[in-house]
Amino acid sequence: FRALEAAQRAVSIDPHWAEGHFTLGRAETAVRDFKAACKSFEIALSLEPEHEDASEELKIVRELARRRAAKANKHPRLEKVDAWSARLARKVSRAKCRRRPTWQEVDWQQHNLAARDLMAFGRDSLENIERVHLASDPHSFQDFGTKYQASSTPVLLEGAANHWPAMTSWTFQRFSNDFGEAKMVCDHRYGVRMRMSDFLDYLEQQQDDSPLYLFDHRFA
């Protein structure tokens, strides 16, 4: 995603640089914005007609656009979905760039933590800690101070919030319906903001080691 923004900046600085438009076309192809990619490759060829790579890429992206159009005729919503995906990719790219300006996209997933069982690292320790389920034994909390706090004994309290309405009513779909247009703070230190609906879409598909997260310093 940063490649897309870098190429956009390059052609804005020098709109007559064929290689800049070619690079932009490659970046637009990567985010599946084929219409924009076609235009970028065409501009590159108009500035440098002998640019063989741009000519080849234009043929490829035109074919991809043709296939998409064919599918869209069978499935009219497909084009809208692809356009939304490209828009979300741009939004997330801008947010990430502000959050960690020196990182490339690969840096966000370099350790592949999303595919790992992170609980396995602490499972042995957690199994050695006593658990108290408050929903099944509500009186067990009465001696918490003397039994656990006074002796600094660790304990896991379970089920304390089971009866909260939020446990069933707070869903991604409800947040999207009620607050989808609201601009949320992802990181107040860098002024990173995203619409709630965009953040939820990102959250459901992200594979980052250190994902973007909601944080509003007014409540913390």
Side-chain angles (χ1 to χ4, degrees), residues 9-105:
R9 287 195 295 269
V11 297
S12 67
I13 294 172
D14 186 357
H16 302 293
W17 186 33
E19 194 64 29
H21 289 282
F22 171 72
T23 303
L24 177 57
R26 292 286 300 273
E28 289 165 338
T29 302
V31 298
R32 302 182 63 79
D33 192 349
F34 301 140
K35 186 180 295 185
C38 280
K39 183 177 180 181
S40 295
F41 290 136
E42 288 169 353
I43 294 174
L45 285 170
S46 69
L47 295 170
E48 189 178 324
E50 302 302 320
H51 200 306
E52 294 182 1
D53 290 338
S55 181
E56 281 298 315
E57 291 290 342
L58 180 58
K59 291 177 183 178
I60 293 172
V61 82
R62 280 176 173 170
E63 176 60 20
L64 292 172
R66 185 194 66 77
R67 292 179 184 178
R68 173 183 287 177
K71 289 182 180 180
N73 289 333
K74 295 180 181 179
H75 307 283
R77 293 188 61 189
L78 181 62
E79 187 172 352
K80 292 183 178 179
V81 171
D82 283 344
W84 178 261
S85 298
R87 172 194 170 278
L88 178 62
R90 291 193 297 270
K91 293 283 186 180
V92 171
S93 175
R94 282 196 288 269
K96 286 183 173 181
C97 189
R98 296 192 67 177
R99 176 65 183 84
R100 297 187 184 276
T102 62
W103 277 20
Q104 302 291 334
E105 182 61 26

Side-chain angles (χ1 to χ4, degrees), residues 87 91 179-186 192-199 214 216 218:
R87 172 194 170 278
K91 293 283 186 180
F179 312 108
E181 297 300 315
K183 286 288 187 72
M184 310 302 294
V185 178
C186 291
V192 179
R193 292 176 178 270
M194 291 179 67
R195 291 196 316 177
M196 173 64 85
S197 58
D198 291 333
F199 177 78
L214 295 185
D216 196 323
R218 294 173 298 179

Side-chain angles (χ1 to χ4, degrees), residues 57-192:
E57 291 290 342
L58 180 58
K59 291 177 183 178
I60 293 172
V61 82
R62 280 176 173 170
E63 176 60 20
L64 292 172
R66 185 194 66 77
R67 292 179 184 178
R68 173 183 287 177
K71 289 182 180 180
N73 289 333
K74 295 180 181 179
H75 307 283
R77 293 188 61 189
L78 181 62
E79 187 172 352
K80 292 183 178 179
V81 171
D82 283 344
W84 178 261
S85 298
R87 172 194 170 278
L88 178 62
R90 291 193 297 270
K91 293 283 186 180
V92 171
S93 175
R94 282 196 288 269
K96 286 183 173 181
C97 189
R98 296 192 67 177
R99 176 65 183 84
R100 297 187 184 276
T102 62
W103 277 20
Q104 302 291 334
E105 182 61 26
V106 67
D107 295 325
W108 288 83
Q109 301 173 12
Q110 60 181 319
H111 300 299
N112 198 27
L113 296 181
R116 299 187 182 186
D117 181 8
L118 299 182
M119 290 298 295
F121 294 106
R123 188 167 289 130
D124 292 340
S125 298
L126 290 174
E127 290 176 353
N128 293 327
I129 299 176
E130 183 179 352
R131 296 170 181 264
V132 175
H133 201 283
L134 299 180
S136 59
D137 186 10
H139 300 292
S140 60
F141 190 72
Q142 294 178 357
D143 59 353
F144 173 80
T146 56
K147 187 174 181 180
Y148 302 107
Q149 187 175 16
S151 59
S152 298
T153 302
V155 61
L156 292 175
L157 302 178
E158 300 178 326
N162 284 1
H163 63 287
W164 292 6
M167 295 296 290
T168 54
S169 63
W170 283 15
T171 64
F172 282 1
Q173 187 60 54
R174 180 174 180 182
F175 286 156
S176 183
N177 292 341
D178 293 351
F179 312 108
E181 297 300 315
K183 286 288 187 72
M184 310 302 294
V185 178
C186 291
D187 192 321
H188 71 285
R189 295 170 297 175
Y190 299 90
V192 179

